[in-house]
Amino acid sequence: MSVATAASPALAARRHSHSLARQRRWALRGSYAALGVFVVMFLAPPFYMLVTSLKTSAEISEQRTSPWLVAHPTLRNFLDLIANDHYRMFFFNSVKVTVCVVAVSMVISVLGAFALARMRFFGSSVLATGIFLTYLIPDSLLFIPFFRIVGSLGLINNAWVLLLIYPTLAVPFCTWIMIGYFASIPKELDEAALIDGASWLQILWRVFIPVAMPGIIAATIFAFTVSWGQFIYPLAYLYSADQMVLTVGIVSDLIRGDVFEWGKIMAGSLMAAAPPVVIYAFLMDYYIAGLTAGATKG
Amino acid sequence: MRRWLHRRSTVAFLMCLPLILLIGGLVVYPALYAIWLSLLNKRMTHFVGLSNFAFLLRRSTFHLVIFQSCLFAISAVIAKALIGFILAHLMHAIPSGRQRIWRGLLLIPWVVPLALSTLGWWWLFDPSYSAFNWLLARVGIGPVPWLGATGWARFSMILVNTWYGAPFFMIMYLAALKSVPEQLFEAAAIDGAGAWGKLRYVTLPMMRNIISITVLFSLIVTFADFTIVRILTNGGPRDTTHIFATYAFEVGIASGDVPLGASVSLFMLPILAIASFLILRGVTRRDREMAAA
């Protein structure tokens, strides 16, 4: 640098700011490099799942080449699974249960959140706190009493039992998010609607739901992810292939004794993971809003 | 009658009714029912008091379960909190236009359903085809028994849980970091604070509430974890890696001793109650601060 050799005060100052900028640039590069390392570590398992799913069984058991690369990619595993009656059944059951659970959960939590956020009544604040607390009761505590309850209802090994149980996972958090969103809507809005003679249901439907749409999308995504990925309940209550959902079906169907069809297990897992990942890819901001809403709102 | 139906509190109550029924019938009732079940004998014919709990506390397998649950939850939460904190700071250091893509990539472990990504980990840990061992063999390290030896199996579970949960911490901390006013950092810089001083006197105090809520919340979820252990080891080798949830499943569902299984899972209750109490306190305190501001 020829400028750096000149020694006047102005130039020295510029050199100083120059080196500061350089320092910042290096700090920025360091951040990028560190983030890159984390991305590689975080994405290695899904990447390896993808690589394995593209291999034939022969190539998987081949131990001379790198397991991280695929020499002869094939879609056989995916096509076989799509043609497989059981796998299609798992997928259908997952979709069926998830769609119903999301619909039921959203109706319950939007109605409840609206009443709790806007129409104060006897015990409403206690109820709001109680709902938050029930969110903290985990599924691994409730699955044993549910086992008895489900048994006495005669719903063991029936996929519809999940429609009864899954809302307990989704509703508390969805209600909690929606209370936060509804509470942030200015009071003037519903007062004006009330003066115009609107009923409470009309206010909810015409004013609150449109205004709180981002919150509703975030809550819906949460309800969807929770019911799509739930594992312990279907594992405990469903045992025949025609009733199983994806999270438990893949393992039970593709492992026969000591034979692990890893290519298919990975392909099946990737296809099962696709719906939440696609939703996430398109609605990332809502997804993140829902994630942080639990602690920053309400 | 019509007027009563149109009263505000009646309408509100009716709107809440499905919610109350759901919470009461499908959360509170089963939770209480679990306590009742835990007080019965194996065939659920008569009341035996606390003898299920006493029985468990005398068994060395169960001592291991308690130890393993605490080890798993505490080390995983610490690892997640640290990695999440580092990631949030790295993200905060790059221009906000670029954050989107990095955040998108780093959040993927959290988005993929855990039951499915754990299958991928299981395959990565496979005793004869482990792709990790292949990489380690390149640098001359012998095969690691990822799930075959107790110590390594514990490490592997914590690793998978950390991988899964760290992105959540990153998102929470990043949201908190963004809410710290830039002037505070400038003021600290003028007062001569370096990077450490800013962290110690500005960032941490400003984020304290969100850090504690996130840590406590994650502690509950990690303590109650089932999926990772069930898929990776199912408690093996020789029942040394069970945690409360998987052991409760093993005892209550697989072996059919429902009351004993209920007792196992109820051992989670004290830690859950303490963590929930602290979370609730943190949330209400923050609300009050926000209302005062």
Side-chain angles (χ1 to χ4, degrees), chain A residues 100-177:
Chain A
C100 295
V101 168
V102 168
V104 168
S105 307
M106 286 313 291
V107 170
I108 295 178
S109 45
V110 165
L111 280 177
F114 177 64
L116 288 174
R118 265 308 194 266
M119 313 162 68
R120 307 209 167 267
F121 58 95
F122 178 71
S124 60
S125 58
V126 177
L127 188 58
T129 311
I131 284 160
F132 182 69
L133 281 183
T134 55
Y135 173 51
L136 301 175
I137 299 181
D139 49 1
S140 46
L141 190 78
L142 294 178
F143 76 99
I144 288 190
F146 267 132
F147 185 67
R148 294 278 300 161
I149 296 169
V150 167
S152 65
L153 293 173
L155 286 171
I156 287 284
N157 195 29
N158 184 336
W160 288 113
V161 72
L162 303 180
L163 180 57
L164 189 71
I165 296 174
Y166 282 5
T168 62
L169 300 162
V171 163
F173 190 65
C174 290
T175 310
W176 183 249
I177 299 180

Side-chain angles (χ1 to χ4, degrees), chain B residues 7-200:
Chain B
R7 261 180 47 198
R8 180 177 163 132
S9 59
T10 317
V11 178
F13 180 74
L14 288 178
M15 281 178 158
C16 274
L17 197 59
L19 183 67
I20 296 170
L21 289 178
L22 180 91
I23 300 290
L26 294 172
V27 183
V28 176
Y29 167 67
L32 296 176
Y33 188 45
I35 297 176
W36 168 244
L37 279 173
S38 73
L39 304 174
L40 301 177
N41 70 336
K42 180 173 179 182
R43 296 160 79 192
M44 289 173 275
T45 47
H46 56 261
F47 185 82
V48 293
L50 295 174
S51 69
N52 281 323
F53 295 95
F55 172 75
L56 283 171
L57 284 175
R58 279 198 307 270
R59 295 193 34 167
S60 59
T61 314
F62 193 67
H63 297 165
L64 264 182
V65 172
I66 298 177
F67 168 75
Q68 168 66 4
S69 300
C70 295
L71 178 78
F72 175 73
I74 293 169
S75 34
V77 168
I78 292 175
K80 284 186 275 194
L82 280 178
I83 293 176
F85 196 76
I86 294 169
L87 279 172
H89 273 273
L90 289 173
M91 290 283 281
H92 201 55
I94 65 175
S96 45
R98 297 273 183 81
Q99 283 177 16
R100 226 182 123 73
I101 177 76
W102 288 98
R103 195 180 56 177
L105 288 172
L106 287 168
L107 206 59
I108 285 178
W110 176 263
V111 176
V112 178
L114 186 59
L116 304 170
S117 53
T118 309
L119 290 175
W121 279 100
W122 192 30
W123 168 226
L124 275 165
F125 292 143
D126 187 87
S128 35
Y129 296 101
S130 170
F132 285 147
N133 283 346
W134 186 86
L135 286 178
L136 290 177
R138 299 306 101 180
V139 291
I141 301 172
V144 172
W146 293 104
L147 303 175
T150 302
W152 280 109
R154 287 178 177 155
F155 170 79
S156 306
M157 289 166 184
I158 294 165
L159 178 69
V160 176
N161 191 277
T162 305
W163 171 83
Y164 171 69
F168 171 72
F169 277 83
M170 173 191 78
I171 290 297
M172 300 301 280
Y173 289 169
L174 191 60
L177 264 183
K178 284 187 174 173
S179 68
V180 178
E182 201 56 40
Q183 296 97 300
L184 287 183
F185 289 114
E186 284 161 18
I190 290 166
D191 286 348
W196 171 248
K198 283 182 195 168
L199 185 70
R200 171 79 181 72

Side-chain angles (χ1 to χ4, degrees), chain A:
Chain A
M1 265 194 198
S2 58
V3 188
T5 52
S8 79
L11 277 177
R14 212 165 81 197
R15 195 173 59 194
H16 181 66
S17 73
H18 217 80
S19 79
L20 253 183
R22 205 167 56 202
Q23 231 174 38
R24 274 210 197 113
R25 212 160 47 230
W26 274 107
L28 197 61
R29 277 180 201 152
S31 299
Y32 279 125
L35 281 173
V37 171
F38 274 111
V39 165
V40 170
M41 290 196 299
F42 277 23
L43 295 189
F47 171 76
Y48 187 57
M49 291 169 81
L50 181 68
V51 166
T52 307
S53 71
L54 297 173
K55 289 180 183 175
T56 58
S57 294
E59 196 181 339
I60 289 172
S61 46
E62 163 75 60
Q63 286 199 299
R64 269 166 302 167
T65 53
S66 166
W68 295 89
L69 301 172
V70 50
H72 309 286
T74 165
L75 288 176
R76 264 287 297 286
N77 292 320
F78 290 93
L79 297 176
D80 280 358
L81 281 176
I82 293 172
N84 180 321
D85 282 339
H86 280 178
Y87 190 80
R88 282 210 307 263
M89 183 74 88
F90 302 152
F91 216 100
F92 173 72
N93 282 339
S94 275
V95 170
K96 181 177 82 178
V97 167
T98 304
V99 168
C100 295
V101 168
V102 168
V104 168
S105 307
M106 286 313 291
V107 170
I108 295 178
S109 45
V110 165
L111 280 177
F114 177 64
L116 288 174
R118 265 308 194 266
M119 313 162 68
R120 307 209 167 267
F121 58 95
F122 178 71
S124 60
S125 58
V126 177
L127 188 58
T129 311
I131 284 160
F132 182 69
L133 281 183
T134 55
Y135 173 51
L136 301 175
I137 299 181
D139 49 1
S140 46
L141 190 78
L142 294 178
F143 76 99
I144 288 190
F146 267 132
F147 185 67
R148 294 278 300 161
I149 296 169
V150 167
S152 65
L153 293 173
L155 286 171
I156 287 284
N157 195 29
N158 184 336
W160 288 113
V161 72
L162 303 180
L163 180 57
L164 189 71
I165 296 174
Y166 282 5
T168 62
L169 300 162
V171 163
F173 190 65
C174 290
T175 310
W176 183 249
I177 299 180
M178 291 317 299
I179 290 177
Y181 274 96
F182 284 159
S184 68
I185 294 174
K187 280 236 164 39
E188 290 78 17
L189 223 53
D190 40 312
E191 276 160 11
L194 265 183
I195 290 166
D196 287 346
S199 74
W200 284 103
L201 270 179
Q202 276 172 322
I203 294 176
L204 171 63
W205 186 248
R206 298 262 174 82
V207 180
F208 274 69
I209 290 182
V211 174
M213 210 52 192
I216 292 191
I217 297 175
T220 309
I221 294 174
F222 174 81
F224 173 84
T225 7
V226 159
S227 29
W228 190 265
Q230 184 25 250
F231 182 66
I232 188 168
Y233 290 132
L235 186 72
Y237 311 141
L238 307 177
Y239 49 80
S240 70
D242 62 323
Q243 301 295 332
M244 277 187 185
V245 294
L246 280 168
T247 43
V248 292
I250 293 171
V251 189
S252 75
D253 208 44
L254 297 174
I255 297 173
R256 298 233 161 73
D258 279 346
V259 184
F260 290 63
E261 292 187 72
W262 283 113
K264 277 191 188 145
I265 295 175
M266 293 301 118
S269 305
L270 286 176
M271 284 196 285
V277 173
V278 167
I279 287 180
Y280 163 70
F282 284 101
L283 300 171
M284 189 165 90
D285 294 324
Y286 294 106
Y287 190 97
I288 289 171
L291 212 60
T292 46
T296 54
K297 273 191 195 292

